[in-house]
Amino acid sequence: MKAAFPYPTLFGDVILEVTAVAVDGSPLPYSHVSKAEQTVALQQTGRDKWDVATLHLRATLPEQELSEGPWTDPVCLAVLTEKATNARTSARLKRAQDGSWQGRIELVRNAHLNRASLGLTVAATLDDLPGRIIGTAERDWYVDLKVTTPVRQRDIEIVEIDFREGELEWLRPFKEAPWIVETTGEIPTVYLNTSAVEGLVEVLHGTGGSAEEKLLREMASSQVAQDAWTAMFHTAISDLDVDEDGTPQMPGGWREPVLQMMLPDVLPGRQLTDALFDINERRTKGFGWSELQTSVQYAAGRRSQTTKKLTVATRSVNRVERSAGR
């Protein structure tokens, strides 16, 4: 959803394109860049260690509107950010002879962890005030350091970080939590706290160990998953748009499959459109919403396979105890 400004802004489309990528000066195959997905994949760049990826950019603005509007001195600014590291880099694009705006921006490997967002902002002087935002690209690009194929939609992001002394200051009030789920972006993110419970991250990454260790791993991973499903469901419901007659519309992105998978368990026996209308009524008007939370918890548990994992892990523990008692 575009932000509203109390002054004139560009009505036409602002389009950003990554035209080429170089890693430490060597061209990256264009198969790592998807215009349709608006994603750049930087895993397996041809070298194990690299320092800087240079993204060559081209922006298209509604030039007639830009030249005839009430603004002056337009500036086209590309901004590369990543929440996990709080990194931010900007680059100013220049107008080319063909009317487009071109330039490049650098991603420094040591400043990034997983996936960075690349956006475009158009600013200008309006009413004698410079730097007013008059347009932005409809969708950001993603620059992903962890994938070999440039695919935009990912299931969920996992970030391991010290809540107490890490780079993200907004996590510090949650320093005693083993993890939290953040669902405001285009990809839900689970932040695992590396300092709250000693050894928890290592347990989650493990594959072997004793029956007790397996039980702990399965239960911890199931609880993380259940918390993530619950948070994603509530965010998806809170973001519903309605049409002219008040009928709620299915949201896009990751929110749509979350609702499609969970609603049959939250409101069983309902058609998807009916369930969406019913749950939106409950949330906005208050009646029956608190009672529905048990069903939401149940649906999240099914999606995280808590019962199945607990059953397998408990049987493993029981077999070990029976063997020890013989």
Side-chain angles (χ1 to χ4, degrees):
M1 185 179 295
K2 287 188 175 180
F5 296 93
Y7 52 80
T9 58
L10 293 171
F11 177 78
D13 291 334
V14 176
I15 300 172
L16 174 64
E17 181 182 1
V18 177
T19 59
V21 180
V23 176
D24 288 343
S26 300
L28 188 70
Y30 207 69
S31 59
H32 285 250
V33 182
S34 172
K35 184 176 180 181
E37 295 284 323
Q38 291 188 270
T39 303
V40 178
L42 290 181
Q43 180 71 291
Q44 294 186 2
T45 61
R47 58 182 70 191
D48 293 333
K49 296 183 179 180
W50 53 274
D51 296 317
V52 178
T54 303
L55 285 71
H56 296 263
L57 311 176
R58 183 178 186 271
T60 303
L61 278 57
E63 285 298 323
Q64 182 175 352
E65 184 184 0
L66 189 66
S67 61
E68 296 177 355
W71 34 70
T72 59
D73 304 320
V75 175
C76 199
L77 192 69
V79 181
L80 187 69
T81 60
E82 185 178 2
K83 290 191 297 182
T85 60
N86 208 26
R88 181 182 178 88
T89 306
S90 61
R92 186 168 176 172
L93 307 189
K94 297 181 180 180
R95 196 193 301 261
Q97 291 184 349
D98 63 357
S100 66
W101 297 69
Q102 300 182 20
R104 63 184 186 181
I105 195 167
E106 292 186 342
L107 182 148
V108 179
R109 179 67 181 88
N110 289 339
H112 293 271
L113 183 64
N114 292 302
R115 172 183 272 206
S117 296
L118 174 64
L120 185 77
T121 297
V122 183
T125 299
L126 184 63
D127 296 331
D128 297 326
L129 292 175
R132 287 201 161 189
I133 297 174
I134 62 171
T136 59
E138 180 68 23
R139 289 203 308 173
D140 289 349
W141 278 68
Y142 286 133
V143 185
D144 202 315
L145 285 73
K146 299 294 187 179
V147 299
T148 58
T149 303
V151 178
R152 184 176 186 86
Q153 185 63 40
R154 288 167 56 180
D155 293 333
I156 197 166
E157 189 90 47
I158 306 292
V159 176
E160 299 171 10
I161 188 171
D162 185 350
F163 288 17
R164 190 181 304 273
E165 299 179 356
E167 300 91 344
L168 301 183
E169 293 186 3
W170 67 270
L171 288 173
R172 292 178 185 173
F174 313 108
K175 60 186 178 183
E176 296 182 1
W179 60 78
I180 64 168
V181 183
E182 197 270 334
T183 57
T184 59
E186 288 199 33
I187 298 177
T189 302
V190 174
Y191 291 93
L192 295 177
N193 190 355
T194 58
S195 61
V197 180
E198 185 177 356
L200 175 62
V201 174
E202 289 75 15
V203 168
L204 290 172
H205 286 317
T207 55
S210 65
E212 291 80 5
E213 289 173 332
K214 293 178 181 178
L215 176 60
L216 174 60
R217 178 165 55 250
E218 293 296 342
M219 292 311 301
S221 62
S222 292
Q223 188 60 57
V224 172
Q226 183 162 350
D227 288 352
W229 279 105
T230 302
M232 289 189 296
F233 179 81
H234 282 288
T235 298
I237 288 298
S238 67
D239 285 349
L240 291 180
D241 290 327
V242 296
D243 60 17
E244 295 179 354
D245 63 358
T247 302
Q249 302 298 304
M250 185 67 71
W254 60 263
R255 294 163 176 80
E256 181 175 2
V258 165
L259 293 181
Q260 288 175 337
M261 286 185 283
M262 289 189 65
L263 279 176
D265 290 324
V266 176
L267 292 171
R270 305 284 186 88
Q271 294 292 330
L272 187 60
T273 53
D274 294 336
L276 201 62
F277 184 86
D278 188 350
I279 203 165
N280 187 59
E281 284 276 292
R282 296 184 186 220
R283 185 188 66 84
T284 55
K285 296 183 179 179
F287 64 87
W289 177 245
S290 58
E291 292 83 355
L292 204 63
Q293 299 313 302
T294 302
S295 297
V296 174
Q297 182 182 7
Y298 168 73
R302 286 200 65 187
R303 301 260 61 86
S304 57
Q305 298 183 323
T306 300
T307 302
K308 178 181 178 181
K309 291 181 179 180
L310 179 59
T311 299
V312 172
T314 302
R315 286 175 179 172
S316 178
V317 172
N318 289 336
R319 282 196 299 267
V320 172
E321 291 180 347
R322 286 195 297 268
S323 298
R326 292 175 183 174

